[in-house]
Amino acid sequence: MSLDLDSPSTTNRDWIFPSQSFNLPRTPARRFSSPYPRTTSFQNSLSHPPSNSTPPAVPRTLRRRISHRHRIVEREGSVDAVTDGKSNDFAVQSGECPSSGNKTTSVDKKFTSFFRRFTVSRQAACIIAILVTCFTCLVHKNFSLHNQVNDLQDELSKLNIRLRRCNISDSIDIIDSLSEHNVSGASLKNTALILSFMMLSLPLAFIKYMGYISYIRRPSDSNTEELSLNKQLAYRVDVFLSFHPYAKPLTLLVATLLLICLGGLALFGVTDDSIADCLWLSWTYVADSGNHTNSEGIGPRLVSVSVSFGGMLIFAMMLGLVSDAISEKFDSLRKGRSEVVEQNHTLILGWSDKLGSLLNQLAIANESLGGGTVVVMAERDKEEMELDIAKMEFDFRGTSVICRSGSPLILADLKKVSVSKARAIVVLAEDGNADQSDARALRTVLSLTGVKEGLRGHLVVELGDLDNEVLVKLVGGDLVETVVAHDVIGRLMIQCARQPGLAQIWEDILGFENCEFYIKKWPQLHGMQFEEVLISFPDAIPCGIKVASSGGKIILNPDDSYVLQEGDEVLVIAEDDDSYAPAALPMVQRGNLPKNLIIPKTTERILFCGWRRDMEDMILVLDAFLAHGSELWMFNEVSEKEREKKLTDGGLDISRLANIILVNREGNAVIRRHLESLPLESFDSILILADESVEDSAIQADSRSLATLLLIRDIQAKRLPYRESMVSKIHGGSSSQGSWREEMQQASDKSVIISEILDPRTKNLLSMSKISDYVLSNELVSMALAMVAEDRQINDVLEELFAEEGNEMQIRGAALYLCDSEELSFYEVLLRARQRREIVIGYRLANADKAVINPPAKTERRKWSVKDVFVVIADKE
């Protein structure tokens, strides 16, 4: 390599270390989107370098830096021995270079300077080579992308040419299709408009010319009269609306859909919207009439107003339909047509004067259970029934009374009151004729037996005539328990007339306010004799056994030696069903009865005022009870011949009466002179009967009985020889003769008067006035019905106690069981009475007004008086 400064190598040195004035030509910025530039100035400068260019001179500043660096290296002594030959050559070359300073530099300094410059030049050359390579790659990539852009532009221009050719042909087709679509759309809209108008006008035209159409269809030679088409159509519509329960809402729905469809078709014909949008718009007009205000144009406004007017009519009909449905529901609730969703309730069918007393007894019976539910169904308005029940002056004690209006002869009405789930069903007899009432009760029993679901409870049927009892039991079978009200009152009147004070005892036992009959099984008593069972209950009095081996037959007053078997139940008189239980046997001394045990029968004289339908039955009962030679006087308005005929028709043979003698007197019991013809002061008992002639009206019958009672008491008071002395004693010698009430009370000491009062309100008035010994009314019948409704087994007990044979309730004097002032416990008296085959259930002290049934503290001893009386259950013989 030559080191001549004038050689081209100087150019290379200056290329490696360029001066500040050396500037490379810049490549202008290239836009890839331009298709025109093919070459650059930078490329031309690289491919065609200048041939006549001379290397530039080395600047002084550079040489000074090299010399300074050499001196530093010499001072450190770091000269490399490996580069001796090359350093000499380089030193010679560098020594030949012109310099402004010292030209006599040593060879070592030149060699070191050359070595340093060569090392730096090599590093710079590597960096520049890398940069040039990267730049060349970028330029190549730029050219490649530029060529691809040019190709894509050529393809785009070709596609644009083809698209222009296609657009020209498509525009022609679109214009044709739009013209055809406009023509078809206009025809479709016109068709929809015409169709909606025809659908709206055809029904109107059909209704208007319906009569003419029916006239054309009628044959000219027909002489028969045929119904017109409009009448037939009206009849079909009437049947449809009446037969189908949802006919009205369905009709309203069809009318609404038809209006929406007609409105949608009409709007489709006058607007540019689609059919779906028009139907929705029509629905908005129907639902809200204010939406038509946004319509524009005569056609849309006319259609929208018409649809909105139809929507207002439909809304008015819907409002009327909803209002009618709500009113009908409230009327159904108010009139008692809704269904009763109850179970284990007591159902009462019918309405009578006994209902108040019956509800009172049921409320008392359910008090221990926290109250119950009683449903009353009668052919009356529900509001009237609820108002009448609200006027009843008694406490319901938590019992709910639900009223429903309906007929017990209709199965649908029976199902409405949940008849199949009732635990007891009471059928009340109607006020009025007994035969008609019993016939209706028989039909009611037939309806009840026809319930498909069956009956869970038993039937308690009130009858008016004893002759109809067999027929009702034949129809009802084992489900039916009958209570003949007329017969119960008659038998009670006879028993109370013979034994004054017995009516109050019957009222205490039949009602639920005091003590009543209960039947329950006690396994711990099995194997005990009945004599031991009698003193096993501190809070109850056993009076009978329900024998399981005899099919559940109830035996009143059984033998002391009867041993309770498994399955037997004990009949007791207790305050409530949960108020008693057996206890340990107490120590009781039996004792002995007084010697005089025979009670001789004495002849009696009894007067009947009035005539009853069951007079023959009452005469037979009296003939069985009274002593031989007793007299029965009958005073009424029925003639003697007719009287005999009625008794004979009823099955009574007067000639076969063994103990009584019939005495007939004809007259009116409310006329004083007729009553004065009778020996009223000589009768032991007087029975004032509710006369058959006024039996249909309770108020009229009670008024007649009340008048008869007052007249008899007044006549008796004036005929009694000791009237003036008794009055003088009461008033302390006063000149006044006393009030009429006091006179009548004194007259009652001579004879007993039993009055039959049908209305319980009249009975309360007479009981407070104390002018009658006792008043028997329908209240006792209501008590018997309530007791049988709670427990049907009690009906067998009542039937035996009311029958001519068997056991009955009697009042006995204390002298039969003890001596005067003898100190005994109640259990000791009870065991003494067992020697007479009697069961003592209570007592009444001589100075007391009421009897005590099932007394407490039965083991405590007390002194008794011979004037005291005991209430016993004994055989009628």
Side-chain angles (χ1 to χ4, degrees), residues 85 116 180 285 383 394 494 505 544 559 616 629 648 660 664 727 735 782 790 800 813:
R116 295 291 182 186
E180 292 177 358
Y285 292 158
E383 294 180 342
F394 60 86
I494 293 174
I505 298 172
D559 294 334
E616 61 277 1
T648 304
I660 62 174
N664 295 309
V727 173
S735 58
S782 302
E790 290 296 317
E800 182 175 350

Side-chain angles (χ1 to χ4, degrees), residues 75-101:
R75 198 176 294 122
E76 293 177 356
S78 57
V79 179
D80 193 356
V82 181
T83 57
D84 289 339
K86 292 183 179 180
S87 299
N88 292 331
D89 295 337
F90 187 77
V92 173
Q93 185 178 359
S94 61
E96 293 177 357
C97 294
S99 61
S100 60

Side-chain angles (χ1 to χ4, degrees), residues 530 533-537 540-544 570-573 830 839 841:
F530 183 74
V533 174
L534 281 174
I535 59 176
S536 298
F537 294 91
I541 298 179
C543 54
V570 181
L571 172 67
V572 301
I573 295 178
L830 178 60
I839 299 177
I841 63 174

Side-chain angles (χ1 to χ4, degrees), residues 730-749:
I730 294 175
H731 295 279
S734 176
S735 58
S736 174
Q737 298 298 322
S739 65
W740 63 273
R741 180 181 299 179
E742 294 171 347
E743 295 177 356
M744 292 181 180
Q745 288 177 359
Q746 298 300 326
S748 64
D749 295 337

